[in-house]
Amino acid sequence: MRHYELQIQQAVRHGDTVHLHVTPHYHSDSDTIPVGFTLEAHSENGFKFHAYSRDPKERRANRAQGGTLNAVTTLNAPKRS
């Protein structure tokens, strides 16, 4: 999620006003810890998220082509050992 938060931060630092809406997703109605979030961001300047990839080459390519997403969903996954 930090990847997307940093994109919003960069847009704001460059003078854009970004409207962010975060929706938590729960496994069941009784859960108090979300299993993931959906981030939706919009701005008058056309803010869009860049897709995330673990591969550094893909990340650079995604940044080069510009943002293409207004909403992203991230899920909490167990850490690999």
Side-chain angles (χ1 to χ4, degrees):
M1 192 159 117
R2 177 115 174 107
H3 172 77
Y4 300 109
E5 293 170 333
L6 291 173
Q7 290 179 47
I8 295 168
Q9 181 185 47
Q10 184 178 21
V12 170
R13 284 187 174 165
H14 285 96
D16 202 355
T17 300
V18 179
H19 301 277
L20 177 66
H21 180 79
V22 180
T23 305
H25 299 285
Y26 297 93
H27 183 69
S28 70
D29 290 339
S30 62
D31 284 348
T32 57
I33 298 174
V35 294
F37 298 92
T38 296
L39 301 160
E40 295 177 63
H42 303 276
S43 77
E44 290 183 13
N45 293 335
F47 175 83
K48 303 258 188 199
F49 289 112
H50 302 132
Y52 177 76
S53 171
R54 288 186 177 189
D55 180 358
K57 288 181 183 178
E58 285 184 32
R59 281 198 303 270
R60 282 193 292 277
N62 290 341
R63 282 194 303 269
Q65 71 179 346
T68 58
L69 308 168
N70 278 104
V72 293
T73 300
T74 61
L75 299 175
N76 296 330
K79 292 191 179 201
R80 296 180 188 181
S81 37

